[in-house]
Amino acid sequence: MKPTGLIFFPAFDWAISPTHPEREERLLYTRDQIFEEGIMDLPQIREYKPRMAEKKDIARVHFCVPDVDAQITEAHLVSAGSSLVIADAVMQGEVKNGFALVRPPGHHAMTVAHGNRGFCNINNEAIMVEYLRKKYGLRKIAIVDTDVHHGDGTQEIFWHDPDILFISFHQDGRTLYPGTGFIEELGGPLAHGSTINIPLPPRTTDMGIHYVLDNLVLPILDEFKPELIVNSAGQDNHYSDPLANMCFSAQGYAILNSKLAPDIAVLEGGYSVETALPYVNMGIIMAMAGIDYSNLREPDYSPTRFKESPGNMEYIKKLVATQLANFRQREEVISRNRKEYKRMYTNYKSIFYDTDGIHEEQSTQLRMCEHCAGYRIIESSAQHPRWGLNRVFCLSVPTYGCPECQKEAERLYEDMTSSRSKYNYVYLQDKVKDVYKSMESALSLETVL
Amino acid sequence: MLIGIDVGGTFTDGVLFDGQAVVTSVKHPTDKQNLKTTLLKVLDDLLTVSTGGGISRIVFSTTLVTNLLATESGDNTALLLLPGPGLPLDTYHLFEHTFFLKGSIDFRGRELEAIDKTEVEKAVGAIKGRGIKKIAVVGKFSNRNSSQEQEVRKIIMKRDPQMEVAIGCETAGQLNFLRRIVTTYYSVMTQSAWEDFAREIEKALAERGIQTAVDVLKADGGTMPLQISRSKPCETVFSGPAASTMGAIALTMNPKNSVVLDIGGTTVDISLLIDGHPLYASKGATIQGHYTHINAFSVRSIPLGGDSPINIDQGNIHVESKRRGAAACFGGDYPTVTDVFNQKYQLGIGQPLKSTKKLTKLIKDTGIDMETLCKAVEDIVFNRIQEAIQKMFTEWENEPAYRVWEVVHGRKFNVQEIIGIGAASKAIVPGLAQRMQIKCRIPEYAAVANALGACVARPTLALKVHIDTQNKVFSIDQDGLSGSISAGRSFQMKDAKELAQHHLMEIAKSRGMEQYAGEAEFYLEEQFNVIRGWETAGKIFDIGVQISPGFIKEYQGVSR
Ligand SMILES: [Zn+2]
Ligand SMILES: [Zn+2]
Ligand SMILES: [Zn+2]
C-alpha cells in the first residue's frame, strides 16, 4: 500500500499580526502532537519538503492588483507551493493521497485580488486545481469545502466552470462571515449546479454533518464522477473554535475524511489552536493514511456531549433534498440559460476585504459560448487605503476554452492596450495558451508570465 | 600522551598520540566474542611505547552495544507505556513484553488522566511472573511533565525494590514518543552488559597503573566519561563511523563542505561535512529498523570495499560484496577492487605483480581484455559510490522545513572536496574525485583516522529547553530536568537563553566537562506568543544550546 503524502508547514516565522488568529502559534501544538505521536516515522506517512509556487501558478488563477508581488509574501508562495508538491506526489503515484497541512490559508481569495480577505490573499486550492489541469490534463475536479466559513473565494473562482464541482458546507451566512453561501448560489448560467452550498444552522453536530455527507455530498460526487477530489479542510467546525458556533469533533472530522476519501486535502481555517487543531489534524492524517483513529479524541470529548436537535435535523433533511434536486436539474437549467441569455451575460457585485478594509466594485461579463464555458471580462475598481483607487480590466479565457473565445479575448486585450484607457491595468489570462499578460497603462509597460 | 582505540567490527585500531604526532599505531583483528580482550591487547601494544603513568587521556569507541542490539542479546526488559489518546496502541507495541497503562499528559504538560495504582501493581506482578527484572516506563509527553513516569517508578520500587527501572524523560526527553520508547527500552536492555564491560575496563586500567579518567565516544562524535556512560549505553552505538568522521576532520583541519569516504575492506562509509560540521541523521540513529533519540552522524554504508572480489560470470563483470580474503597484492586468492586499481593506475600497492597475475587469470578465455575489465570495475565502483553520495545530497536538500526562511533560501550541497580515509581510500578516492571534478585529500594516517578521531574528540552536550511562561514551567530534554520559573510576563528571549545556558553549565559540571561550556552555541531560538482572546497570556520558548563536536583544546593538528 502506498503511503499518504504530508507537508507540515506551520510557517513559524509568519503572522498577519502578533495577536491575529493567523499567527505563529497557530500550528505550534499541532506540531507538538504530531511530532510526539511519531506519526511521521510510520511507513504509512511520507513527509515532503515545501517549495515556493511560481508567479505563473498564481497568475493562472488570480488577477493580482497591481501585480503578484504586491499581493503576496513569501509565506503565501510556500503555502501555495506546498499544495503543488502534494499534487505532484499524488499525480506521479508516489503516494495514494496527500495532505498539505499548511498556512496561510486561501479559500476566501477571489479571482481579482486587491488585498487580504478573511485571512487569505491567494487561493491555494484554486492554484492547485489549475496547475493539475495544466500539468496533468485533468478536467473534472471536485472541491469539498469543509471549513465552517463559506468558501466564497473558491466559489467565485469556479463560478462559471462546469467542470469544477464546488461543494461547501458551513455555518449559515446569516450568522457568520463572509455572509454568503446560500442555497440559491448555484453557479453561473453555463455552470449551474456545479456550485452547491449547504448552509447549516449553528450548533450542528457530527450527526448533522454526516447526514449531509451521506445523503448529499457522496451521492453528488458519485454522479459527477470527478477525476480528483480535494478537501478544502478547514477545522473551525470544531466545538471549541472561537470564531464559529458549530459542534463538530475530531472523530467527526476523521470519519468525514474516511468517507470522502479525498485525493488531496489542504488545510484552511481553524483557530482553536490548543483544543481542536492538534486532534483534528491527527484525525485527518490518520483517516487519509488508513490508520485506526478510534483511540483519538480531544481531552474534554465525550460521545454524548452534543446531540443534534430534532428541529435542526428536520431543516438539514429539507436542505439536502432541495440541493440534490438542484444538482440533478443542472443540465436542464443550463440549456434553458443558453436560450434565455443573449451573447453576453452580465453581473454586478461589491466585495469587501475585511482584513485590509478595501471596497471593490466589480462587473463580470461572460460570453455565452456554445463550445466552451466562455471567456470573461471583469471590470473592477477598488479603493485601497494605501494605494488609492485602482481600476482594472481583466480578460480570462478558461482552461478548456474554444479558439473563438481565445481569439476574441486576445483581440479585446490588443484593443484595450493600444489606446488610452480609463483603466490603470489591463490583464489577459489565457489559460489555454498558459500565457498571462498585464499592461500598466500609465507606463505602457507590459509584463508577460 | 593520548590514546585512542576504535574497536570496530573487523579490526581494532589504536593510536598513541603525543599531542603533535602519532607516536605509534596498532591494528588487531577484533575478537567478536571478547571485545575487552581485543581492546586490552591493543592498549598493551601501545603501552610498550609509553608507560601507564604518562597517559593523560584514553578514549575508546566500541561496537559492544551495537552488537548486543543487533543480536538482541541484552537483558529481558518489560515496557510500561502510558500512551493516552492518539495513535492506536499497536503502533507502540514494538517489543514483546509491553504493557499499556492508564495515565495521560498533553503537550502543555497538563494531566488528562490519572494513573491507576492497582493497574501498575498488577503489571509489575505479571512482569515478575515472566522472570523479568528490568522495566522501562515511558509516557507520551512525559518530556513536558514527568510526574506520572516518576509516580509509576515509585509504585514499582515500593512493590519490588529489586526491579531496575528507567523512565523515558530521563533517557530521551525530545518530542517523539515512539523514539522515546525505543531509546529507553534499548538503554535498559543493554545497561548491565555495558556496566560489566565498563567495570572490567576500569579494573584493567588500574592494573596497568593508568590513573587518568577514561572517555567513550558517542554516536554524535563527542565523548563522555565512562562513568556517565553507565546510564546511557545506547549513546555509544555507531561510534565507529563517528570516530572515522572525526578523524577525517582532525587530519584535514577546517574542511568546509566535504564528503568523507571511509573505504575499508568490505564497506564504504559516507558522511558529509557541511561548513565543517558533520551532518546528523535527521531521525536519529536507526537501530534494528527503529528510529531513536540518539544523536548520530548521518552515515550511508555501501557493501563495497578494497577487498570486494571481482568476478566474471558469462561475460558479465561483477563486483561482489562478500569478502573472500585480502586483495591479491596482499597475498589473497581472488583479485579484488584494490587489485584492479593497482593494475590500472600502477599504484604499487603491496606486490603489484600479484594483482596483475590474478587479474590476468580471471580474464583468461573470457574474451575480455585487461583494459576493459579495469574500466568496467572502476565504473561499477565509482557509480555506486557516486550514486550514494548523490542520494545523501538529495536527502539533505529535501529535509522538511518549517519556516518560510528555510524554504525561501533552499539548500544546495556545494561539495568542495572529498576526504578519503580507511585502508583502501588511496586506491579508489583519487580516481573518483577526478571523475567528479573535485579535489581530494588522503591525509597521512588515513588508515588510523578512526582511532585518532576518538583520541582527540572533545566532549559534546546538546540540550533543548522548553519554557512555558503562562504555566511558569520549563523542561529540559536531558536527564529529565524540569522546574518552575518565577518571572511571568517579563520573561523574554534573553532570560530564556540565560536559563538554557545556566543548565548547560550545570550539566557540563556534573559530567566533568565544564572547561568546554564556554564553547556552547545556541542552535535554536524559537518563541511563540500564547494569545488567548486577543491578549498575550504568555510565551513559549524552545531554546537549543550545544557544545558541538570538536577537538580537545590541546589538539592543534598532526604536525609531524
Ligand atoms: Zn465551507
Ligand atoms: Zn474558516
Ligand atoms: Zn468558447
Side-chain angles (χ1 to χ4, degrees):
Chain A
M1 195 61 183
K2 280 183 196 165
T4 289
L6 180 67
I7 285 190
F8 175 61
F9 184 68
F12 279 153
D13 50 358
W14 183 86
I16 289 182
S17 76
T19 57
H20 195 279
E22 254 328 315
R23 62 178 180 274
E24 297 89 341
E25 186 196 5
R26 186 170 166 225
L27 292 175
L28 174 62
Y29 313 107
T30 297
R31 174 204 62 184
D32 285 352
Q33 192 71 36
I34 63 180
F35 282 24
E36 174 67 359
E37 297 277 1
I39 192 164
M40 306 230 241
D41 289 0
L42 302 183
Q44 293 98 317
I45 305 291
R46 176 161 169 194
E47 195 183 5
Y48 283 85
K49 182 184 188 170
R51 72 165 164 94
M52 300 218 276
E54 285 163 30
K55 281 186 203 171
K56 192 168 179 172
D57 296 320
I58 293 155
R60 204 175 280 125
V61 170
H62 294 287
F63 296 104
C64 291
V65 182
D67 53 27
V68 174
D69 288 326
Q71 285 307 327
I72 51 154
T73 62
E74 286 165 338
H76 293 102
L77 287 178
V78 179
S79 188
S82 299
S83 317
L84 304 186
V85 172
I86 291 295
D88 283 332
V90 169
M91 292 310 295
Q92 285 162 18
E94 292 172 9
V95 295
K96 63 171 175 176
N97 53 23
F99 183 16
L101 211 178
V102 298
R103 56 180 287 268
H107 74 147
H108 295 303
M110 296 182 172
T111 309
V112 181
H114 286 281
N116 185 298
R117 290 187 75 246
F119 316 166
C120 307
N121 285 66
I122 52 170
N123 194 307
N124 297 334
E125 286 90 353
I127 290 167
M128 182 179 76
V129 162
E130 291 297 12
Y131 174 86
L132 281 166
R133 286 172 140 187
K134 205 75 242 172
K135 186 161 177 188
Y136 300 100
L138 295 189
R139 183 154 185 164
K140 290 180 86 178
I141 295 175
I143 304 171
V144 182
D145 186 311
T146 58
D147 191 282
V148 76
H149 300 97
H150 175 226
D152 56 347
T154 317
Q155 168 171 311
E156 189 268 352
I157 289 167
F158 297 114
W159 185 253
H160 295 290
D161 194 330
D163 294 323
I164 302 293
L165 174 63
F166 176 70
I167 305 173
S168 175
F169 60 74
H170 41 264
Q171 186 175 325
D172 194 320
R174 286 169 299 188
T175 58
L176 192 69
Y177 180 90
T180 52
F182 299 105
I183 51 172
E184 301 78 24
E185 298 165 28
L186 289 160
L190 296 179
H192 185 91
S194 57
T195 294
I196 295 289
N197 280 296
I198 307 151
L200 296 165
R203 303 197 61 73
T204 298
T205 66
D206 290 355
M207 188 185 166
I209 295 182
H210 282 290
Y211 182 87
V212 171
L213 199 67
D214 296 339
N215 298 285
L216 180 61
V217 178
L218 297 180
I220 285 182
L221 286 172
D222 241 23
E223 292 175 32
F224 186 78
K225 299 196 177 23
E227 294 156 70
L228 190 108
I229 297 174
V230 177
N231 179 2
S232 185
Q235 312 188 347
D236 32 16
N237 281 294
H238 193 264
Y239 61 80
S240 65
D241 196 87
L243 305 184
N245 319 86
M246 302 292 259
C247 294
F248 215 28
S249 71
Q251 276 289 318
Y253 266 107
I255 297 168
L256 182 154
N257 279 281
S258 293
K259 287 183 182 170
L260 189 62
D263 299 284
I264 299 171
V266 179
L267 177 67
E268 284 297 336
Y271 299 95
S272 174
V273 300
E274 269 200 79
T275 20
L277 265 56
Y279 308 102
V280 176
N281 278 314
M282 274 298 290
I284 296 176
I285 300 170
M286 289 162 82
M288 289 184 75
I291 298 169
D292 169 21
Y293 44 79
S294 55
N295 187 38
L296 176 77
R297 64 186 172 271
E298 304 86 334
D300 59 350
Y301 177 74
S302 97
T304 54
R305 183 164 163 186
F306 302 105
K307 219 174 140 43
E308 202 64 75
S309 75
N312 263 4
M313 247 357 254
E314 186 111 334
Y315 168 85
I316 291 169
K317 280 181 183 169
K318 259 196 218 143
L319 178 71
V320 163
T322 308
Q323 289 301 59
L324 201 55
N326 274 330
F327 175 76
R328 287 176 176 161
Q329 284 163 10
R330 68 193 188 286
E331 274 153 22
E332 207 177 299
V333 175
I334 290 171
S335 60
R336 209 163 52 220
N337 285 344
R338 277 190 198 284
K339 283 179 206 136
E340 196 171 313
Y341 294 106
K342 298 184 202 66
R343 209 186 84 80
M344 296 299 273
Y345 157 92
T346 313
N347 174 261
Y348 299 92
K349 65 185 166 216
S350 325
I351 299 157
F352 178 59
Y353 292 64
D354 59 319
T355 322
D356 281 349
I358 300 167
H359 292 274
E360 180 192 357
E361 294 297 328
Q362 203 185 79
S363 81
T364 303
Q365 298 174 68
L366 173 77
R367 178 167 189 253
M368 296 293 288
C369 181
E370 284 172 58
H371 313 293
C372 75
Y375 78 86
R376 276 180 297 162
I377 305 170
I378 305 170
E379 292 169 77
S380 153
S381 59
Q383 185 70 42
H384 194 283
R386 276 170 292 141
W387 306 332
L389 185 71
N390 255 329
R391 280 170 202 258
V392 298
F393 184 90
C394 317
L395 290 152
S396 174
V397 184
T399 310
Y400 292 96
C402 70
E404 245 172 73
C405 282
Q406 201 189 0
K407 271 201 204 95
E408 209 172 300
E410 217 165 281
R411 202 161 48 230
L412 265 170
Y413 178 76
E414 296 303 327
D415 290 351
M416 292 300 295
T417 51
S418 58
S419 58
R420 278 180 63 86
S421 79
K422 60 176 180 177
Y423 300 100
N424 305 90
Y425 298 91
V426 178
Y427 302 91
L428 173 65
Q429 183 182 61
D430 186 340
K431 298 192 209 178
V432 180
K433 273 197 196 154
D434 206 26
V435 169
Y436 308 93
K437 297 181 178 178
S438 70
M439 174 73 87
E440 184 172 357
S441 304
L443 304 171
S444 285
L445 189 70
E446 189 177 59
T447 315
V448 182
L449 289 176
Chain B
M1 290 282 191
L2 312 169
I3 284 179
I5 298 172
D6 176 32
V7 184
T10 322
F11 288 104
T12 296
D13 293 300
V15 292
L16 182 69
F17 185 66
D18 71 2
Q20 276 149 353
V22 175
V23 177
T24 183
S25 66
V26 178
K27 194 181 204 76
H28 283 302
T30 303
D31 176 359
K32 281 187 186 157
Q33 304 313 311
N34 203 335
L35 299 184
K36 187 196 81 174
T37 315
T38 309
L39 197 158
L40 293 177
K41 205 154 120 196
V42 169
L43 178 71
D44 288 337
D45 280 3
L46 295 172
L47 287 177
T48 56
V49 183
S50 171
T51 59
I55 304 298
S56 58
R57 186 179 201 230
I58 295 181
V59 184
F60 65 88
S61 74
T62 158
T63 53
L64 181 87
V65 173
T66 314
N67 293 349
L68 282 173
L69 294 172
T71 53
E72 300 194 335
S73 50
D75 293 326
N76 251 343
T77 301
L79 269 168
L80 286 185
L81 302 182
L82 296 74
L87 283 176
L89 300 189
D90 59 17
T91 315
Y92 303 120
H93 200 145
L94 305 171
F95 304 105
E96 194 185 348
H97 308 288
T98 301
F99 297 79
F100 294 99
L101 300 179
K102 288 202 189 76
S104 157
I105 303 284
D106 84 351
F107 40 82
R108 295 196 70 188
R110 291 172 290 223
E111 180 172 87
L112 301 178
E113 183 194 43
I115 56 167
D116 177 347
K117 195 175 168 216
T118 347
E119 188 191 47
V120 179
E121 286 172 339
K122 237 175 96 184
V124 177
I127 290 165
K128 222 177 152 180
R130 295 184 193 181
I132 299 170
K133 297 184 193 73
K134 288 169 175 269
I135 303 178
V137 181
V138 189
K140 199 180 279 176
F141 285 117
S142 67
N143 56 335
R144 296 283 161 87
N145 176 352
S146 62
S147 62
Q148 293 191 334
E149 279 184 1
Q150 313 257 22
E151 191 57 34
V152 171
R153 174 161 64 186
K154 247 187 238 160
I155 297 169
I156 301 169
M157 299 308 286
K158 199 159 177 199
R159 158 108 205 214
D160 186 351
Q162 302 304 310
M163 269 305 171
E164 276 181 48
V165 188
I167 59 178
C169 70
E170 289 177 0
T171 314
Q174 302 92 319
L175 275 178
N176 197 322
F177 180 51
L178 254 181
R179 297 183 204 170
R180 191 176 311 123
I181 293 170
V182 174
T183 312
T184 313
Y185 177 80
Y186 282 150
S187 290
V188 174
M189 196 176 122
T190 54
Q191 193 173 359
S192 63
W194 179 255
E195 255 192 77
D196 291 346
F197 182 73
R199 203 177 307 117
E200 288 175 31
I201 295 294
E202 275 168 358
K203 193 169 146 242
L205 292 176
E207 285 166 8
R208 286 158 178 79
I210 297 173
Q211 307 288 325
T212 182
V214 182
D215 290 341
V216 289
L217 196 72
K218 300 185 290 177
D220 73 351
T223 63
M224 63 177 162
L226 186 58
Q227 187 55 35
I228 298 292
S229 76
R230 291 176 167 212
S231 61
K232 305 175 186 300
C234 274
E235 294 194 13
T236 67
V237 294
F238 308 129
S239 53
S244 297
T245 307
M246 291 310 291
I249 304 174
L251 287 168
T252 49
M253 293 304 269
N254 297 322
K256 292 279 180 262
N257 293 339
S258 318
V259 177
V260 177
L261 293 180
D262 180 2
I263 308 185
T266 54
T267 56
V268 179
D269 283 346
I270 309 168
S271 55
L272 301 183
L273 305 180
I274 294 165
D275 227 8
H277 299 290
L279 175 69
Y280 285 97
S282 59
K283 295 187 169 183
T286 303
I287 302 176
Q288 298 291 92
H290 301 296
Y291 298 125
T292 68
H293 277 311
I294 299 157
N295 234 351
F297 290 169
S298 175
V299 177
R300 188 178 280 261
S301 282
I302 37 182
L304 175 77
D307 295 346
S308 300
I310 312 297
N311 190 15
I312 298 175
D313 181 21
Q314 292 174 350
N316 295 314
I317 300 163
H318 296 286
V319 177
E320 296 179 344
S321 52
K322 199 167 162 48
R323 187 179 190 264
R324 298 200 205 175
C329 59
F330 292 119
D333 289 335
Y334 293 90
T336 72
V337 166
T338 299
D339 293 311
V340 168
F341 282 85
N342 208 14
Q343 169 73 23
K344 185 159 198 250
Y345 295 102
Q346 303 293 310
L347 297 173
I349 298 172
Q351 292 173 274
L353 278 177
K354 287 192 173 171
S355 292
T356 313
K357 208 173 135 200
K358 291 284 181 192
L359 287 168
T360 311
K361 194 179 155 202
L362 184 72
I363 54 176
K364 192 168 173 257
D365 300 332
T366 61
I368 298 170
D369 61 28
M370 185 64 89
E371 206 187 317
T372 313
L373 173 77
C374 291
K375 177 86 181 63
V377 170
E378 185 184 64
D379 280 345
I380 293 171
V381 171
F382 287 176
N383 286 345
R384 280 170 71 184
I385 299 176
Q386 249 183 300
E387 226 170 81
I389 293 174
Q390 195 49 52
K391 264 194 194 146
M392 286 186 85
F393 288 175
T394 312
E395 271 174 23
W396 175 75
E397 286 163 4
N398 290 323
E399 285 285 315
Y402 307 115
R403 274 163 215 81
V404 177
W405 189 91
E406 295 171 283
V407 181
V408 172
H409 289 81
R411 269 179 170 188
K412 182 97 191 80
F413 196 91
N414 291 314
V415 60
Q416 291 162 322
E417 64 174 342
I418 299 181
I419 301 171
I421 55 171
S425 61
K426 241 183 228 157
I428 297 172
V429 171
L432 178 68
Q434 196 179 22
R435 178 194 278 210
M436 290 173 70
Q437 292 187 310
I438 39 179
K439 56 176 194 165
C440 74
R441 273 199 274 182
I442 299 163
E444 219 191 327
Y445 304 117
V448 288
N450 50 345
L452 186 77
C455 174
V456 295
R458 76 179 182 192
T460 50
L461 177 61
L463 48 105
K464 215 187 252 180
V465 187
H466 182 81
I467 304 163
D468 183 333
T469 72
Q470 189 186 17
N471 296 327
K472 296 188 168 60
V473 291
F474 72 89
S475 54
I476 299 177
D477 65 355
Q478 291 289 327
D479 302 343
L481 293 171
S482 63
S484 56
I485 52 165
S486 50
R489 283 189 87 79
S490 62
F491 201 90
Q492 298 298 326
M493 179 54 90
K494 175 176 72 68
D495 307 295
K497 287 171 76 175
E498 264 172 37
L499 181 79
Q501 183 85 50
H502 167 78
H503 283 281
L504 178 109
M505 189 65 191
E506 291 297 305
I507 298 172
K509 267 187 205 156
S510 75
R511 296 185 189 177
M513 51 185 283
E514 62 267 39
Q515 72 266 39
Y516 294 99
E519 311 269 327
E521 291 162 359
F522 290 96
Y523 68 92
L524 178 73
E525 296 174 33
E526 266 180 1
Q527 66 169 320
F528 298 92
N529 291 321
V530 179
I531 308 289
R532 295 299 170 263
W534 302 91
E535 292 290 325
T536 306
K539 278 181 194 290
I540 287 176
F541 295 93
D542 279 309
I543 309 293
V545 61
Q546 66 179 343
I547 303 167
S548 52
F551 302 108
I552 51 172
K553 287 193 171 133
E554 49 271 47
Y555 182 69
Q556 302 294 335
V558 183
S559 63
R560 277 181 281 144

